[in-house]
Amino acid sequence: MAAPTGQGAPTSPARGRRVRSRASHSLESVLAGAVEILDESGAQGLTIRALAARLGGGNASVYWYVSGREELLDLAADSVLGGVLETTADVGSGDPIDDLRTISVAMFDAIADRPWLGAYVLRQTARQIHSLRLYERIGQQVMRLGLTPRQTFHATSAVVGYVTGTAADMGQEPPEVVVSGAVSREEYLAEATAQWRALDPDEFPYIHLIIDEFAGHDDRDQFIDGLDLLLAGLRLRANR
Amino acid sequence: MAAPTGQGAPTSPARGRRVRSRASHSLESVLAGAVEILDESGAQGLTIRALAARLGGGNASVYWYVSGREELLDLAADSVLGGVLETTADVGSGDPIDDLRTISVAMFDAIADRPWLGAYVLRQTARQIHSLRLYERIGQQVMRLGLTPRQTFHATSAVVGYVTGTAADMGQEPPEVVVSGAVSREEYLAEATAQWRALDPDEFPYIHLIIDEFAGHDDRDQFIDGLDLLLAGLRLRANR
DNA sequence: CGATAAAATAGAACAGTGTTCGATAAATCG
DNA sequence: CGATTTATCGAACACTGTTCTATTTTATCG
C-alpha cells in the first residue's frame, strides 16, 4: 500500500532469463525519465502518461514509486540537486564567505538552464533529502562566521532565498511560442526590449538607463554581482 | 449557478420590462473574482469553471476578457501589485536605500499572505503594467546611488530577486492536508520540526543550531534582516 | 520443490481540467 | 428600423491526475 517514497531502492529487477512480458522500473529510472522529460519540454510537458510511455509501461505503475505528480516533481528536482551536493563535496575549508560563494554559484548553475527546477527546489525538505543536505552545507559555512544562532539562521535563509529566487526568475519558462520554436529566443528578446524602448523616457528613466545593459546582459554575471552585494553585507556583519 | 433572472423562459421578452437573461462582466470584475478565489483556495482552486460560477455566467465568457488561465493569473497578480504601487506612491525623497527598503517591505507584505502571488509576480512585464512600474520605481531609487548603468541594473535585479524569491518561498502553498483543514498549520509545523530534531546532530550541526529559532521565527523579521544584509552591501558599493 | 504471500505492473474507467466552437442574445450605430 | 459589433453561453473536445481492479512476477518458507 505505502510506496517506498523515501530512499529505499526496490529489490533489483535486472535479472531474469525469461523474456519479460511487463516493463520493470525503479525509483531511479522513474526520476531519470522525469528529469529527461522536464529538460526537454518543461514542467508542463511532464505528464504521468508521457512518463509512463517513456518508461514503456502503464500509467498506474508510476504511482507505485511516487504518491503523485507533486511528489514526482519534488523528487526529480531533489535528484538534480544531488549533483550539486557532489560538486561541492569538498568545499568548507577556505574562507567561509568564499565557500558560501562557491556553493551558491554551483547551485545557480544547476538551476540556470533548467527552467523547471526553480519552482520545486527546497520545497519539501521532508522528502527532499539532497535539498536538506545542501541547506545544511550552506548553513555550516555561515556558522563559521561566529554569529548568533538567530543571525546565522537569517543569513543562511537570505542566501538561499536570493539564490533560488534569482535563479527561478532567470530560468523562467519561456512562452509557449518560444518553446514550440515558432519564435526564436533572440526574436522574442528583441521584441521585449523594443517594447521597453517604446516607453516614455520621462516616466521610465530607469528602464531607459539600463535597457542596453539588459539587451546584452549575461544572467550568470548578473547573479554573481548581486550575490557579492549580499555577501559583502554579510562580511560586514561578521566583522563587527 | 442559474442566471440571475428569468431562467425559466430564456427567450421570452417579458412584456413591459426587459429582463436580463445573461450575465455581464468586465475585466475588473473578472480579475476581482479571480483574486477572491485565489485568496480563498490558492492557485489550484482557481479554475475557469469556478470563476465563471462565481461571476454567474458560462465558462467561455471568461475567455472574452482573458486569453487563457495563464494570462488570468498574470493579470490577477498584477492587479494586486497595483495596491503596492499606491502604497508606495510617495516614496522617493528620503535616503535612497531607506526608500528601497520601504518599497521592498511593502512588496513583501503584499506577497507574504498571498501564497499564490509569488509565482506570478514580475513574470511577463509586457502584460503586467503594475509590475513594470514597480520595477521602475525600485530602479529609480537605485539610480540615485550614482552607480554605473551596469551596477544599477545588477543591484536592482538583486533586490527584486531577493524580495520575490524570499516572499515566494515563505508564502509557499502549504500541503493539501493543511489547506483542506485535515491538519492544522501548527500540527504540520510541529511535525516538520520534530523531523528535523530527529536528524543526527553530528551530520546536521546547522539544523540543530537553528531549530529553535526556526520553530519560533517570524517570516517578516527574517525577511527584513536578510534584506538589510543586501542593502548594507549595496551601501558599501555606493560609497566607494 | 510447490504453495502462499508480497511486490509490481497495467488496462480501463472516473472525475475533472483548459479550451474551442457555434449559436445567440444584447448593445451600438447609421 | 436593420445591420454590425460586442458579449454571453451551452455543449463538446482533448487531455489531465488519479483510482480500481485484475493480473503477473518475485520472494518467502514449510
Side-chain angles (χ1 to χ4, degrees):
Chain A
M1 284 150 225
T5 56
Q7 57 194 3
T11 42
S12 84
R15 304 187 52 138
R17 39 196 155 190
R18 280 192 62 164
V19 179
R20 273 178 207 298
S21 64
R22 292 185 152 194
S24 159
H25 319 305
S26 70
L27 181 58
E28 287 73 26
S29 67
V30 168
L31 295 185
V35 170
E36 279 180 31
I37 294 177
L38 286 165
D39 284 342
E40 287 169 18
S41 28
Q44 225 175 20
L46 178 64
T47 67
I48 303 293
R49 281 172 175 80
L51 177 57
R54 175 164 307 228
L55 297 173
N59 321 326
S61 299
V62 175
Y63 288 85
W64 182 258
Y65 297 96
V66 147
S67 72
R69 200 184 103 103
E70 208 72 351
E71 185 174 290
L72 177 65
L73 280 159
D74 281 343
L75 292 181
D78 196 57
S79 79
V80 171
L81 243 57
V84 180
L85 260 184
E86 289 179 19
T87 308
T88 61
D90 57 344
V91 176
S93 55
D95 174 66
I97 291 201
D98 284 349
D99 289 346
L100 212 44
R101 192 175 186 271
T102 302
I103 300 174
S104 300
V105 171
M107 201 166 155
F108 173 84
D109 285 337
I111 307 181
D113 53 1
R114 286 191 146 96
W116 55 275
L117 195 52
Y120 297 94
V121 97
L122 271 169
R123 276 214 322 175
Q124 284 266 109
T125 54
R127 56 165 78 137
Q128 293 184 310
I129 182 64
H130 294 134
S131 299
L132 180 62
R133 298 197 112 96
L134 199 53
Y135 181 58
E136 168 71 29
R137 183 165 295 168
I138 294 172
Q140 285 182 10
Q141 311 315 313
V142 179
M143 275 179 77
R144 295 164 60 204
L145 296 175
L147 302 171
T148 69
R150 185 162 221 261
Q151 289 176 320
T152 306
F153 174 49
H154 286 177
T156 304
S157 301
V159 171
V160 171
Y162 173 77
V163 173
T164 58
T166 307
D169 195 48
M170 289 176 176
Q172 242 172 86
E173 210 82 50
E176 75 247 295
V177 283
V178 177
V179 175
S180 69
V183 177
S184 81
R185 184 165 173 78
E186 286 72 27
E187 283 174 316
Y188 172 69
L189 263 146
E191 195 179 344
T193 58
Q195 214 158 0
W196 276 19
R197 274 187 224 279
L199 293 170
D200 179 2
D202 291 328
E203 219 173 342
F204 294 90
Y206 166 72
I207 296 287
H208 279 273
L209 175 71
I210 59 95
I211 179 102
D212 288 329
E213 287 295 335
F214 178 80
H217 84 287
D218 177 69
D219 279 348
R220 201 167 184 272
D221 290 346
Q222 183 183 341
F223 165 79
I224 291 178
D225 204 21
L227 176 65
D228 283 338
L229 284 182
L230 181 60
L231 294 182
L234 181 55
R235 180 161 265 152
L236 209 61
R237 174 172 293 183
N239 293 342
R240 204 163 45 189
Chain B
M1 280 285 196
T5 55
Q7 205 227 5
T11 47
S12 77
R15 6 182 174 178
R17 201 196 293 183
R18 281 224 167 213
V19 176
R20 194 179 277 286
S21 65
R22 292 187 156 194
S24 157
H25 320 305
S26 70
L27 180 58
E28 288 72 27
S29 66
V30 168
L31 296 185
V35 170
E36 278 180 32
I37 294 177
L38 286 164
D39 284 342
E40 287 169 17
S41 26
Q44 225 176 17
L46 178 64
T47 67
I48 302 293
R49 281 171 176 81
L51 177 56
R54 175 164 305 227
L55 297 173
N59 322 325
S61 299
V62 175
Y63 288 87
W64 181 258
Y65 297 95
V66 145
S67 72
R69 200 183 103 103
E70 209 71 352
E71 185 174 289
L72 177 65
L73 279 159
D74 280 343
L75 292 182
D78 196 57
S79 78
V80 171
L81 243 56
V84 180
L85 215 48
E86 289 178 18
T87 308
T88 60
D90 57 344
V91 176
S93 55
D95 174 65
I97 291 200
D98 284 348
D99 288 347
L100 212 44
R101 192 174 186 273
T102 302
I103 300 174
S104 300
V105 171
M107 200 165 156
F108 173 85
D109 284 337
I111 306 181
D113 53 3
R114 286 192 145 97
W116 54 276
L117 195 52
Y120 297 94
V121 96
L122 272 168
R123 274 215 324 177
Q124 283 265 112
T125 54
R127 56 164 78 135
Q128 293 183 311
I129 182 63
H130 294 135
S131 299
L132 180 62
R133 298 196 114 96
L134 199 53
Y135 180 57
E136 167 71 29
R137 183 164 294 166
I138 294 171
Q140 285 182 12
Q141 311 315 314
V142 180
M143 275 178 77
R144 295 163 61 205
L145 297 175
L147 302 170
T148 67
R150 185 163 221 261
Q151 288 176 320
T152 305
F153 174 50
H154 286 178
T156 304
S157 302
V159 170
V160 171
Y162 174 76
V163 173
T164 58
T166 307
D169 195 47
M170 290 177 177
Q172 243 174 84
E173 209 83 51
E176 75 243 301
V177 283
V178 178
V179 175
S180 69
V183 177
S184 81
R185 186 167 172 76
E186 286 72 26
E187 285 174 315
Y188 172 70
L189 263 146
E191 196 180 345
T193 58
Q195 213 158 4
W196 277 18
R197 274 187 224 278
L199 294 170
D200 179 1
D202 292 329
E203 220 174 342
F204 295 90
Y206 166 73
I207 296 287
H208 280 274
L209 175 71
I210 59 97
I211 180 111
D212 288 329
E213 287 296 334
F214 178 80
H217 84 288
D218 178 67
D219 279 349
R220 201 168 184 271
D221 290 346
Q222 182 183 340
F223 166 79
I224 291 178
D225 204 22
L227 176 65
D228 283 337
L229 283 182
L230 181 59
L231 294 182
L234 181 55
R235 180 161 266 151
L236 209 63
R237 175 172 294 183
N239 292 342
R240 205 163 45 188

